[in-house]
Every structure is written in C-alpha cells, then in structure tokens.
Amino acid sequence: MHVIASGSKGNASVVADRRTGRCVLIDCGITGKNLMEGCAEAGVDPRLIEAVLVTHEHSDHVKGLGVAVRALRSRGADPQVLASRPAVRASSALADLASQVDVAHFAAGDALSLAGMVIHPFATSHDASASFGFRIECAGDALGFLTDSGMMTPAAHDALSEVRVLGIEANHDLTMLRACDYPAYLKARIASDRGHLSNDQCADELDSLLSTRLQHVVALHVSENANTYRAALSAVERAVSRQGHAARCAVGYQRRVVSVG
C-alpha cells in the first residue's frame, strides 16, 4: 500500500500486487500532477493502475478524480472507475465523470475482481450518502482499508480481521479536538458516530485486530488541526506494544508518500 496523500486536504492511496505491479487507486482528492508525482516517488507505474475505487463523495476524496483519470489515460492506462450509486448521485464531480466515462457501481457485500485482486467493499459509518472501506485479497494475502468512519461496525471489524496490512483511521485526539478553533457544530460532527475515528478509538479497535498475520499498521486521515502525526502514531504503537505484537506502525501524511507491505 502506497499512501500518496491522507487528510482533510485530499486523499489518494494505491494498492499494488508487488508480483505483477498491477494496481488499484483508492480515491483521488488531489491534483493529477500530485498523483503522478506521488506514484513516481512510490515507484508505481501509473500505466498499471487498472481501477479507481471511491470510498464516498466528499470533496477531499473525489475532487481530483476527473483530472486524474484523464492523466492516467494520457499515460496509457485505462482505469475502470467504481463508486456506489448514492455517491454518484450526490457528487457533481462523480456525475460529471460518469458523463465522460463508464462508472461502475458497487455495494457492500460485493466481490470485485480488479487488477488480479478480489475487493470486498464494506459499509462505514460516515455522514455521506454512503461510505465504504475495502478488504483487498490477492494470492492468499489480505489488506484492510478504512477511513472516514465515526465508529467500527461489526461488518467493518470482520472485514479488517486477519489482514497482513491494515490502514485504519486515527483522525483526531479528543482533547485537541475540544480545544481547537473549529466551530462547535464541526467538533460535534467529527466526534459523532458518523464522523471520524479518534486516536483512542483506533487503538481500541486495533487491540482486537492484532492477529498473527498482521505485519503493518498505518494510521490514516490524521487531522492537521485536532491531532498530530506523532500522537496518531503513538496511539497505534501503544496498542501494538500492549500485546507485545511485532507489527510495524506508520502514519499517512498529507504531503509525503508512505509505502508499506
């Protein structure tokens, strides 16, 4: 997994089969230029991006999608774009893209065969028309990806179990959220069950996901105003160390590529 950008200013991650180089892109809320630069830094050949998965329609996840698809096509790729029907209906960016290219639809419980991988979408709890995380399986290996969820649902927990690589949201520190200069309504939204996972919620969930298969954990969607990268990383490190687990911990940045796996 290559986290190209993660945070409220834009998100994009690439999951690659390291045997073949074939890839899927999860979200694109950054510019096409930044995506291409991130791919180059990560050693990803953009011509091998075969699909784009959309978690939900919020702008930090889709605002760069149209430009990115055109940029990928100009480099010889022909990625299939997949999003939920509610997300396409709710987003002008997705609707505009759907008028130019074929956008396929998925729902929770589907099994999508893309880039030599099998991808299982699962519903998350967020204030979007519909929002999803993904379990991605390839050659007996599994990766879990969850961002933008105010709580952990049983379906999400099941989907993230027994993975080797886990990307999981650690958006805010609750004390920092209460003290920051966000308006009250935004603080309430973020902390709600349809907002974002806190560092503590991430760590609590991680306690029950530390299987013998798990090797890498990446904290995602870290707030630049109500958290710090160090605090998010420390939260997952503490959860891992409490159980004496050997998983390596990392954090996704807004402006720096992080690759794991």
Side-chain angles (χ1 to χ4, degrees):
M1 179 169 68
H2 307 283
V3 182
I4 307 297
S6 185
S8 60
K9 292 183 175 64
N11 295 271
S13 293
V14 174
V15 177
D17 179 346
R18 59 185 173 187
R19 303 167 307 157
T20 66
R22 299 168 71 188
C23 309
V24 296
L25 171 65
I26 302 177
D27 290 336
C28 191
I30 59 177
T31 66
K33 178 177 182 289
N34 287 342
L35 175 64
M36 293 306 156
E37 289 175 348
C39 285
E41 184 178 342
V44 170
D45 184 346
R47 296 173 298 177
L48 297 179
I49 295 178
E50 298 185 15
V52 183
L53 297 164
V54 177
T55 59
H56 64 294
E57 75 273 10
H58 288 168
S59 63
D60 57 323
H61 295 261
V62 302
K63 63 187 175 186
L65 193 54
V67 174
V69 169
R70 290 192 292 274
L72 289 169
R73 287 186 160 190
S74 73
R75 286 160 173 77
D78 186 21
Q80 183 179 10
V81 181
L82 300 97
S84 70
R85 289 183 187 274
V88 174
R89 288 195 296 264
S91 167
S92 59
L94 286 172
D96 288 346
L97 183 62
S99 70
Q100 303 169 42
V101 302
D102 181 31
V103 176
H105 301 114
F106 64 76
D110 286 351
L112 311 171
S113 294
L114 302 166
M117 310 174 199
V118 179
I119 298 167
H120 304 272
F122 59 89
T124 63
S125 179
H126 195 52
D127 57 353
S129 62
S131 58
F132 295 87
F134 303 103
R135 179 185 178 93
I136 302 177
E137 299 175 345
C138 179
D141 210 353
L143 176 148
F145 186 94
L146 178 142
T147 184
D148 294 71
S149 190
M151 61 181 289
M152 289 297 301
T153 65
H157 176 84
D158 290 345
L160 299 178
S161 297
E162 300 294 328
V163 298
R164 187 175 66 83
V165 178
L166 175 63
I168 183 169
E169 181 171 59
N171 173 258
H172 59 278
D173 172 90
L174 193 54
T175 300
M176 290 181 65
L177 177 64
R178 289 169 178 157
C180 78
D181 60 1
Y182 286 157
Y185 80 88
L186 182 55
K187 293 180 182 182
R189 170 192 173 263
I190 291 169
S192 76
D193 285 349
R194 288 174 56 80
H196 294 275
L197 292 179
S198 69
N199 293 348
D200 289 342
Q201 286 173 300
C202 172
D204 289 346
E205 180 61 20
L206 189 54
D207 274 334
S208 60
L209 292 174
L210 288 172
S211 70
T212 55
R213 292 180 181 232
L214 187 63
Q215 295 180 6
H216 298 276
V217 181
V218 186
L220 298 173
H221 214 293
V222 176
S223 170
E224 292 185 297
N225 296 311
N227 206 356
T228 66
Y229 294 120
R230 180 67 251 174
L233 181 60
S234 294
V236 296
E237 287 177 335
R238 285 195 301 272
V240 169
S241 65
R242 277 197 297 266
Q243 296 192 32
H245 199 280
R248 297 178 181 177
C249 301
V251 61
Y253 294 93
Q254 187 67 78
R255 301 171 187 86
R256 187 194 317 170
V257 176
V258 172
S259 299
V260 300

